[in-house]
């Protein structure tokens, strides 16, 4: 990537701490060790991963889990606005799966969102299977011209996306961080988006593994019904 314009600046060092005012944010408090009041990002993300597993075990839907994760990131790492997109079964389009602070009009406008080499941060990340950093949406050629004003008018000037790739190499979605001003990530930002993407991937793969036996059971029931009809 060419050197960014001088007005681009790295995000400030993110410290995940207590926050309020967000509907049902994830509880990122880490209750052991010396840093109880101010957990480190690593400790907070470990707690977020544990909470995700607990929510899934307690029967929470994938949407609930991912929205909870996004809310926790937004609350504890301002001024980021996070979103998870999920891949359609055809593997050619993304649909928003979570993002409690993404404007509804924007969500509707990008449902679905085709993937490709120049389809914004999420579409490009899903297509290339690589993290995509767009420091300035206003002039980055990877952001499609027809959607540039859509993002800018909703207050998004930078977007970074992490592809969510299964153990089998299948792209299951993307995790996106958006910002209200042009910016480039620092090392801690990159660690955060990678960790958040990892947690989201765990939730998606768990949901898929739970859904597979149900599909098999329904298929067996359908086959059984068809067999009865022929007797």
């Amino acid at each position: 990537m060419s050197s960014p314009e001088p007005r681009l600046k790295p995000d400030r060092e993110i410290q995940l701490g207590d926050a309020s005012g967000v509907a049902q944010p994830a509880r990122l408090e880490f209750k052991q060790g010396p840093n109880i009041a101010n957990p480190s990002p690593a400790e907070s993300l470990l707690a977020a991963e544990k909470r995700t597993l607990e929510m899934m075990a307690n029967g929470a839907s994938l949407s609930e889990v991912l929205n909870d994760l996004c809310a926790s990131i937004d609350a504890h790492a301002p001024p980021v606005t996070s979103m998870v997109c999920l891949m359609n079964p055809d593997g050619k389009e993304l649909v928003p799966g979570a993002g409690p602070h993404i404007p509804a009009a924007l969500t509707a406008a990008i449902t679905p969102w085709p993937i490709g080499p120049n389809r914004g941060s999420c579409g490009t990340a899903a297509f290339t299977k690589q993290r995509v950093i767009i420091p300035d949406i206003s002039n980055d050629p990877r952001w499609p011209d027809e959607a540039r004003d859509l993002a800018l008018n909703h207050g998004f000037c930078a977007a970074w996306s992490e592809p969510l790739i299964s153990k089998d190499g299948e792209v299951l979605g993307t995790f996106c961080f958006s910002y209200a001003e042009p910016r480039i990530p620092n090392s801690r930002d990159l660690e955060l988006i990678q960790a958040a993407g990892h947690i989201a991937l765990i939730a998606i793969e768990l949901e898929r593994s739970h859904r597979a036996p149900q599909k098999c059971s329904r298929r067996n029931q359908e086959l059984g019904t068809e067999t009865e009809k022929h007797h």
Side-chain angles (χ1 to χ4, degrees):
M1 180 181 295
S2 60
S3 298
E5 297 178 5
R7 71 194 185 100
L8 301 182
K9 57 184 179 180
D11 194 5
R12 61 172 176 250
E13 294 291 309
I14 293 175
Q15 296 290 341
L16 302 188
D18 293 336
S20 60
V22 177
Q24 297 182 339
R27 299 178 183 272
L28 295 187
E29 296 86 4
F30 190 75
K31 300 185 183 304
Q32 297 179 357
N35 299 319
I36 296 177
N38 294 295
S40 71
E43 290 172 334
S44 296
L45 287 164
L46 181 63
E49 182 172 342
K50 179 181 178 182
R51 177 177 169 82
T52 294
L53 294 173
E54 289 175 346
M55 290 183 69
M56 296 294 290
N58 290 331
S61 69
L62 180 61
S63 176
E64 290 173 330
V65 172
L66 294 179
N67 271 299
D68 189 90
L69 175 60
C70 286
S72 73
I73 295 293
D74 295 355
H76 296 275
V80 67
T81 302
S82 58
M83 175 176 68
V84 178
C85 288
L86 302 175
M87 184 70 79
N88 268 346
D90 62 9
K92 297 179 180 180
E93 295 176 325
L94 294 167
V95 293
H101 301 123
I102 300 294
L106 179 59
T107 300
I110 62 174
T111 305
W113 183 257
I115 70 171
N118 295 295
R119 295 300 304 173
S121 60
C122 285
T124 306
F127 182 79
T128 62
K129 296 186 177 183
Q130 295 180 347
R131 180 187 299 144
V132 171
I133 304 297
I134 294 185
D136 192 345
I137 291 172
S138 68
N139 60 23
D140 196 296
R142 291 168 296 178
W143 203 277
D145 290 337
E146 68 273 14
R148 201 180 305 277
D149 286 345
L150 177 68
L152 296 174
N153 290 340
H154 282 91
F156 297 124
C157 297
W160 316 336
S161 294
E162 182 84 3
L164 308 180
I165 303 174
S166 72
K167 299 180 183 67
D168 299 327
E170 179 185 0
V171 178
L172 304 182
T174 58
F175 202 113
C176 179
F177 284 7
S178 297
Y179 294 89
E181 61 180 358
R183 63 177 66 215
I184 55 177
N186 59 36
S187 60
R188 187 164 294 176
D189 297 327
L190 296 177
E191 291 173 3
L192 178 62
I193 194 171
Q194 182 178 12
H198 173 70
I199 296 171
L201 181 61
I202 289 174
I204 295 169
E205 290 194 312
L206 279 173
E207 195 269 346
R208 284 164 62 97
S209 67
H210 293 162
R211 194 172 58 204
Q214 295 174 355
K215 284 186 176 180
C216 182
S217 177
R218 284 197 299 268
R219 180 57 181 161
N220 289 338
Q221 290 176 355
E222 292 171 357
L223 290 174
T225 302
E226 290 296 322
T227 301
E228 291 176 359
K229 288 181 179 178
H230 291 291
H231 284 78

